[in-house]
Amino acid sequence: MIDHLSVPRKEAQNMLKKLRDLDAVDCNYKVIAEGDSVLIPLKVQQELPRIAMGYFRLKHDGRPDLRRSVKPVKFSGSYDVIGSIAIMKRGEMDDPEKLARNIMESRKNIRSVFLDKGVKGEFRTRDLELICGENSTKTMYRENGLRFAVDVGSAYFSPRLATERYIVAKGTEDGERIIDMFAGIGPFSITIASMKKCEIYAFDSNPAAINMMNENIAMNRIYGQIFPQLGDSSHMIENYRGMDRIIMNLPHSSFSFIEKAYASLRRGGKINYYEILDDAGLEKRMERFRDMGLELRSKRIVHGYSKFLNVYSMELVKTAV
Ligand code: SAM
């Protein structure tokens, strides 16, 4: 049985497009029309994106899309869409160019298709190879009702965290003092400040990310205040104490910054922590957090990373002084 989202027929096209942009649709199954409703097949374990909340989610046998099984393509099957840019994941592809052309033909807003050859270095920038279309890595992207200028070649950005950013913003209270330790082009900070009247110190060591963050702050209506700061978080954070919340979105190496974050947090303050872990690694982290006086309030998988690894999101509360 496959999870499907049941949507009224007249809203189906719009919802399908939005869910495809979020890479939430299971393309191996057909979209099914049933009476006044349309059933959209969802990827397994995918958390329901915000735009789909309020709609009915149900189990259905599903109708395999036979066009796909007749002509199998050796492809990891996934690509991200950021505005007018599609980024294909590395996999066993028979013909990346053919696939890129298919993406451009089926999605009229896509102007460039790149192959992602990996996220590298301190700035976590993507090594991209143009496969089809315009050789431009700049685009405009919409998420949670906000607009972002993104240059996928010079600063990190992932649309897969859209729901996560919304959940964190929703759980934030007015008046919080927050550090966004690895803020990138600012999506966590801007989403929070668009919903809550907070004071946010947004750090990043990549000058291109800080420039885009400033542009993105100016482009959106926000109620809170955001103070972008260029430099190494592990030093800058030492100037701040008694913070209410610290966002640690550096999934490859967040753990090496945890002591610094802990020292800057007030008792009762929260850390939104992201890390790539396997099951054993997760157990070890839980133990370490307990020993430090960090209590786990929530934990979820943001998305899979490889066969045994997942990107985890955890909310931790400082219980000790
Ligand atoms: N939070 C952002 C988002 O949701 O798009 C971006 C997260 S990205 C995974 C990590 C960011 O941390 C990159 O923009 C990188 O430049 C920055 N970074 C890495 N090490 C850093 C450090 N020591 N101090 C400040 N920023 C750092």
Side-chain angles (χ1 to χ4, degrees):
M1 298 288 263
I2 308 295
D3 267 3
H4 287 70
L5 192 74
S6 175
V7 179
R9 202 179 263 262
K10 59 179 188 303
E11 294 171 36
Q13 275 306 327
N14 195 19
M15 177 62 82
L16 192 57
K17 183 179 174 307
K18 286 180 178 163
L19 290 175
R20 279 190 178 136
D21 285 349
L22 293 167
D23 192 30
V25 178
D26 187 339
C27 307
N28 295 309
Y29 288 86
K30 285 182 177 171
V31 173
I32 304 167
E34 268 192 3
D36 286 343
S37 301
V38 167
L39 306 183
I40 301 174
L42 297 171
K43 282 196 171 164
V44 201
Q45 288 181 340
Q46 178 101 15
E47 213 179 296
L48 209 55
R50 181 189 169 204
I51 46 140
M53 284 172 186
Y55 292 88
F56 194 51
R57 188 175 182 162
L58 51 83
K59 298 266 184 209
H60 189 286
D61 285 342
R63 296 203 190 127
D65 191 340
L66 295 178
R67 286 169 305 175
R68 284 172 190 274
S69 46
V70 172
K71 276 193 282 169
V73 184
K74 279 188 196 164
F75 175 50
S76 62
S78 69
Y79 61 91
D80 284 336
V81 172
I82 305 174
S84 59
I85 294 173
I87 301 178
M88 304 192 296
K89 300 281 148 200
R90 234 191 335 202
E92 290 178 60
M93 272 179 264
D94 271 346
D95 188 348
E97 281 175 30
K98 186 172 169 194
L99 193 68
R101 278 197 305 276
N102 283 348
I103 295 174
M104 286 193 75
E105 276 161 26
S106 59
R107 306 181 64 141
K108 297 295 174 205
N109 63 322
I110 300 295
R111 291 207 306 270
S112 318
V113 182
F114 289 94
L115 177 64
D116 187 349
K117 291 159 70 180
V119 175
K120 295 186 180 127
E122 178 191 330
F123 296 164
R124 311 307 300 146
T125 41
R126 286 178 207 284
D127 184 5
L128 296 170
E129 182 188 331
L130 180 71
I131 304 295
C132 197
E134 288 171 23
N135 193 7
S136 168
T137 51
K138 292 185 181 158
T139 187
M140 288 297 297
Y141 167 75
R142 294 190 84 91
E143 172 185 299
N144 294 316
L146 299 163
R147 292 196 307 147
F148 293 95
V150 181
D151 182 345
V152 291
S154 64
Y156 178 91
F157 183 78
S158 169
R160 295 183 178 209
L161 289 164
T163 309
E164 196 56 36
R165 296 190 262 262
Y166 177 76
I167 293 171
V168 172
K170 202 157 173 264
T172 301
E173 307 280 342
D174 279 332
E176 282 190 21
R177 290 178 68 238
I178 300 170
I179 289 177
D180 186 357
M181 270 187 98
F182 312 101
I185 65 159
F188 270 99
S189 296
I190 293 171
T191 309
I192 295 171
S194 74
M195 291 166 67
K196 304 287 162 67
K197 238 179 160 169
C198 295
E199 196 177 297
I200 306 171
Y201 300 89
F203 302 156
D204 206 284
S205 53
N206 179 355
I210 293 285
N211 287 341
M212 268 179 268
M213 192 190 324
N214 278 314
E215 207 181 315
N216 291 328
I217 292 168
M219 216 169 5
N220 289 287
R221 182 188 294 185
I222 57 172
Y223 304 102
Q225 283 180 293
I226 304 175
F227 303 99
Q229 289 183 30
L230 175 66
D232 183 346
S233 290
S234 61
H235 299 314
M236 295 191 292
I237 200 168
E238 288 174 349
N239 299 323
Y240 298 83
R241 289 291 179 260
M243 303 306 289
D244 298 301
R245 184 181 297 271
I246 297 177
I247 300 163
M248 300 183 71
N249 178 223
L250 186 62
H252 281 85
S253 45
S254 289
F255 190 65
S256 54
F257 297 85
I258 194 80
E259 305 273 355
K260 293 275 178 111
Y262 184 88
S264 292
L265 203 62
R266 71 167 168 83
R267 187 178 185 184
K270 293 173 182 142
I271 295 180
N272 292 105
Y273 181 86
Y274 297 86
E275 195 179 359
I276 298 165
L277 293 164
D278 60 11
D279 290 351
L282 182 66
E283 276 305 305
K284 237 167 88 180
R285 285 291 181 266
M286 302 286 92
E287 218 176 289
R288 178 72 189 111
F289 291 150
R290 269 195 304 271
D291 292 348
M292 282 178 76
L294 285 170
E295 189 183 293
L296 181 70
R297 280 289 160 86
S298 67
K299 166 168 68 68
R300 54 188 168 265
I301 293 174
V302 181
H303 58 78
Y305 185 77
S306 65
K307 196 167 175 195
F308 298 108
L309 296 171
N310 290 304
V311 178
Y312 282 94
S313 158
M314 296 172 219
E315 187 164 89
L316 306 161
V317 179
K318 181 170 175 177
T319 50
V321 190

